[in-house]
Amino acid sequence: MPIRGGYRNYLVISISSLLILILIALPMLSPLLDRILHPLNGSFGSLRIAFLEGYIEIDGLNGEVNVLYDGLGIPHIYASNYIDAYKVMGFLHAKDRFFQMDVMRRLAQGRLSELFGELTLDIDRDFRHLGLYISAEKTLDYIANSNEFSWEYQALLAYTEGVNQFLRYLEVNGISLTEYSLLGLKPEPWKPVDSISIGKFMAWSLSWSMEDLNLQELVNRNGLEILVDLDLLDRSLNTPILDKFKVDT
């Protein structure tokens, strides 16, 4: 049923009034919100670090590793070897950001809907067509079987093990991450391909442009002359690269 003019005006006034009240109240609410939402000192931040003060036993370390937090809550890792450092870094990353890591890997792999249902189906379809996960699997297979990248592969395995040791730490100690409790799910173990998937996603997100693909499709359907007709060859930015073709203007 369409909204009548009088009711629509009433609705707009009500929403506007509510927004004004929120804006007026923000200065008074700010200290409370800061105590709750501050990433280090807020309630959520405190939950992240409270149970990890003191001594934590991580399996498979070759020596003792010390982690010191500075005044900004940034961890500094001191280890006798790089593999131990990578393992502890994986543990700490998961401690502070596992849900973000999980969302990013699922985004790159086209698996967000496993968390959020039909809401993200279109996003998953787009990223599966993009093929970042397939590319990540090929990269992992290459470095796993290449002498040139043997050290990097070992570091990746150590990092992965560190992430999963944090998840096991939660399970053994009966600790649930808030995000998964709200979703009614359990965290999925980390895999080496997950880290590579995020790397692929970051590279794509910092450099991507569908414009070249769209222009190539335009040329495929209409011929090179379409670029001249639409004045698309003289732009200083994002000029398409046409290999082995030349258009006389």
Side-chain angles (χ1 to χ4, degrees):
M1 182 178 68
I3 300 177
R4 297 184 180 275
Y7 182 75
R8 184 188 295 112
N9 293 337
Y10 172 77
L11 187 62
V12 170
I13 293 173
S14 299
I15 294 175
S16 301
S17 301
L18 179 60
L19 291 175
I20 291 172
L21 288 174
I22 292 174
L23 290 174
I24 293 173
L26 271 179
M28 294 179 287
L29 293 175
S30 181
L32 175 61
L33 293 175
D34 184 66
R35 286 197 296 271
I36 296 174
L37 300 177
H38 192 283
L40 176 60
N41 300 318
S43 299
F44 289 106
S46 300
L47 289 173
R48 290 285 192 227
I49 66 174
F51 58 85
L52 285 177
E53 295 176 351
Y55 181 82
I56 300 295
E57 185 172 338
I58 297 179
D59 295 335
L61 294 179
N62 297 307
E64 184 174 288
V65 178
N66 293 306
V67 179
L68 301 179
Y69 285 87
D70 63 21
L72 298 175
I74 299 172
H76 299 259
I77 302 171
Y78 297 89
S80 59
N81 61 85
Y82 283 107
I83 296 301
D84 282 358
Y86 272 103
K87 184 172 292 187
V88 172
M89 183 169 67
F91 189 96
L92 295 176
H93 278 179
K95 175 184 77 71
D96 290 332
R97 294 179 176 268
F98 184 78
F99 185 71
Q100 178 186 356
M101 293 164 60
D102 192 13
V103 169
M104 289 186 69
R105 70 169 166 182
R106 292 176 188 271
L107 175 61
Q109 297 168 2
R111 299 172 53 217
L112 276 180
S113 298
E114 295 174 5
L115 292 178
F116 306 117
E118 295 183 2
L119 182 67
T120 53
L121 272 177
D122 287 340
I123 297 175
D124 284 345
R125 291 190 183 102
D126 288 342
F127 274 94
R128 292 198 179 200
H129 287 150
L130 189 61
L132 295 180
Y133 184 49
I134 295 174
S135 177
E137 288 183 313
K138 291 180 178 179
T139 298
L140 177 62
D141 182 66
Y142 179 79
I143 66 172
N145 296 284
S146 171
N147 292 329
E148 181 182 0
F149 295 102
S150 60
W151 188 91
E152 288 83 354
Y153 181 60
Q154 293 304 315
L156 178 60
L157 294 180
Y159 178 87
T160 301
E161 175 59 21
V163 174
N164 288 326
Q165 285 214 31
F166 172 74
L167 297 181
R168 289 195 292 271
Y169 178 90
L170 294 181
E171 185 176 2
V172 169
N173 290 277
I175 300 171
S176 299
L177 295 178
T178 304
E179 301 91 341
Y180 294 95
S181 296
L182 293 174
L183 291 170
L185 300 171
K186 291 185 177 181
E188 179 183 293
W190 199 254
K191 296 181 293 185
V193 72
D194 296 332
S195 297
I196 299 176
S197 295
I198 291 178
K200 299 279 186 181
F201 169 76
M202 293 179 67
W204 173 82
S205 63
L206 291 172
S207 62
W208 79 280
S209 173
M210 298 298 289
E211 187 172 16
D212 282 347
L213 295 177
N214 292 334
L215 288 176
Q216 185 60 57
E217 181 65 19
L218 193 65
V219 169
N220 291 343
R221 294 188 179 190
N222 302 280
L224 289 170
E225 293 77 12
I226 191 68
L227 300 181
V228 178
D229 295 340
L230 297 178
D231 193 25
L232 296 176
L233 288 179
D234 297 327
R235 295 170 305 159
S236 59
L237 296 176
N238 295 326
T239 301
I241 299 173
L242 300 177
D243 187 30
K244 298 181 181 179
F245 288 99
K246 181 179 179 181
V247 179
D248 295 326
T249 58

